[in-house]
């Protein structure tokens, strides 16, 4: 027994080697690039950094990026739960194809998605031509940006919720139904508490993905300063003007705000997981 346990412990090389490789990999992929970002931003004085960070155009781009990302992630959370529910709880023809389509935004180049959405929802597009007479302008507006971010964020929610739904024991639902609980009460009291942690995780992933998204948004946003200009586009504009210090200052502030928001979401997720046990 002890020999089997010893073999199982040595399937992966010892802690020192694996930990060293993990730290090296994390440093090369994450820590060193972030350190370089911080190093480049130090080319600015605090006065210049504050001037760049509080520029009205920069603040407007942050507002557009964070607002549309939050709305898109929230809508993805609701829609992703419904999609995961249909995939797990029902059998229907073409289910495998439907399931594979969920991952399509992962494989499709985001620029292609942006061009396709712009063609569909522009004034002369297939869908936009019906919405424009109703006064609903999708392309070149925050609605279009939200739609593009929903497109690239939906797989994160579905793939996070789906395995939890598959592993969920249905005996509790049947017991609740036997005791006379309605569908809504069963969902809110029995199912939703177990789904809250993966839903929050899916929201955080979709939100984080939306903040840094560029390719799918740059076409449909219209890039109008103070209205539909996103922060990643502003960073690209500064880089094209060889304003590297200004670009890294905007990126650094975007990173700090994003980290703070994701930290809050992850803390909320851990609190929900502890209280639901």
């Amino acid at each position: 027994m002890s020999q089997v346990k010893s073999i199982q412990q040595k399937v992966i090389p010892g802690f020192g080697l694996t930990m060293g490789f993990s730290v090296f990999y994390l440093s090369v992929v994450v820590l060193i690039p972030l350190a370089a970002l911080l190093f480049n931003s130090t080319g600015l004085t605090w006065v210049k950094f504050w001037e760049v960070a509080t520029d009205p155009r920069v603040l407007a781009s942050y507002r557009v990026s964070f607002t549309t990302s939050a709305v898109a992630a929230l809508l993805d959370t609701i829609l992703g739960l419904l999609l995961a529910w249909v995939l797990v709880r029902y059998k229907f023809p073409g289910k495998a194809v439907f399931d594979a389509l969920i991952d399509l935004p992962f494989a499709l180049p985001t620029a292609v998605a942006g061009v396709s959405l712009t063609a569909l929802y522009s004034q002369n597009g297939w869908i936009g031509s019906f919405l424009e007479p109703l006064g609903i302008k999708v392309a070149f507006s925050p609605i279009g940006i939200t739609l593009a971010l929903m497109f690239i964020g939906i797989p994160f929610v579905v793939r996070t919720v789906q395995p939890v739904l598959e592993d969920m024991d249905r005996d509790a639902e049947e017991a609740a139904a036997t005791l006379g609980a309605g569908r809504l009460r069963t969902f809110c009291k029995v199912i939703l508490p177990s789904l809250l942690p993966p839903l929050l995780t899916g929201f955080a992933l979709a939100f984080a993905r939306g903040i840094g998204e560029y390719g799918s948004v740059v076409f449909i946003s219209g890039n109008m300063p103070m209205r539909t200009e996103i922060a990643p586009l502003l960073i690209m504009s500064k880089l094209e003007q060889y304003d590297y210090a200004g670009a890294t200052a905007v990126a650094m502030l975007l990173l700090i705000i994003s980290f703070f928001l994701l930290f809050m979401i992850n803390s909320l997720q851990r609190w929900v997981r502890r209280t639901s046990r």
Side-chain angles (χ1 to χ4, degrees):
M1 185 66 182
S2 60
Q3 184 177 3
V4 173
K5 185 177 180 181
S6 175
I7 293 173
Q8 288 176 343
Q9 288 176 345
K10 293 181 180 178
V11 170
I12 296 178
F15 172 76
L17 180 61
T18 53
M19 186 63 181
F21 179 78
S22 301
V23 171
F24 172 76
Y25 182 77
L26 185 66
S27 300
V28 171
V29 175
V30 179
L31 297 181
I32 292 178
L34 291 181
L37 182 66
L38 179 62
F39 177 77
N40 286 329
S41 64
T42 55
L44 294 173
T45 62
W46 281 109
V47 175
K48 184 63 178 177
F49 182 88
W50 182 252
E51 182 182 336
V52 173
T54 57
D55 182 81
R57 185 178 173 183
V58 175
L59 294 178
S61 70
Y62 286 147
R63 177 180 54 78
V64 173
S65 290
F66 284 104
T67 303
T68 53
S69 297
V71 173
L74 181 61
L75 295 175
D76 275 341
T77 303
I78 300 171
L79 182 60
L81 173 59
L82 292 176
L83 288 174
W85 185 274
V86 169
L87 287 172
V88 173
R89 294 299 177 93
Y90 299 101
K91 295 181 180 179
F92 53 89
K95 180 179 177 180
V97 177
F98 188 74
D99 193 19
L101 286 175
I102 299 295
D103 293 328
L104 199 58
F106 283 147
L108 189 68
T110 54
V112 176
V115 171
S116 302
L117 290 173
T118 306
L120 280 175
Y121 289 96
S122 63
Q123 186 176 2
N124 300 322
W126 290 353
I127 301 176
S129 59
F130 292 101
L131 296 178
E132 288 277 348
L134 301 176
I136 303 174
K137 184 177 178 60
V138 177
F140 316 125
S141 73
I143 298 177
I145 300 174
T146 304
L147 189 66
L149 296 181
M150 286 179 63
F151 176 82
I152 56 102
I154 190 67
F156 293 101
V157 180
V158 177
R159 295 312 182 204
T160 305
V161 175
Q162 192 174 359
V164 178
L165 268 176
E166 290 173 344
D167 294 338
M168 188 175 291
D169 189 2
R170 302 186 65 173
D171 291 343
E173 299 175 43
E174 295 174 357
T178 304
L179 295 174
R183 293 182 178 181
L184 181 61
R185 187 176 178 84
T186 301
F187 178 79
C188 294
K189 298 293 185 181
V190 178
I191 300 174
L192 190 58
S194 300
L195 292 180
L196 267 181
L199 284 174
L200 286 172
T201 302
F203 175 85
L205 292 173
F207 179 64
R209 181 71 175 85
I211 290 174
E213 176 59 17
Y214 176 79
S216 64
V217 180
V218 67
F219 296 103
I220 201 169
S221 66
N223 309 322
M224 290 176 282
M226 308 296 292
R227 295 179 59 189
T228 61
E229 188 178 46
I230 57 174
L233 177 66
L234 190 57
I235 294 172
M236 289 297 298
S237 299
K238 288 184 176 295
L239 289 175
E240 290 173 353
Q241 297 169 4
Y242 304 103
D243 184 9
Y244 299 120
T248 51
V250 176
M252 195 67 197
L253 192 58
L254 183 68
L255 179 67
I256 293 172
I257 298 174
S258 303
F259 178 78
F260 176 76
L261 291 175
L262 292 175
F263 178 77
M264 295 294 293
I265 295 172
N266 289 335
S267 300
L268 178 62
Q269 178 191 355
R270 286 195 294 271
W271 178 79
V272 170
R273 185 178 289 116
R274 284 198 303 269
T275 55
S276 61
R277 286 175 181 172

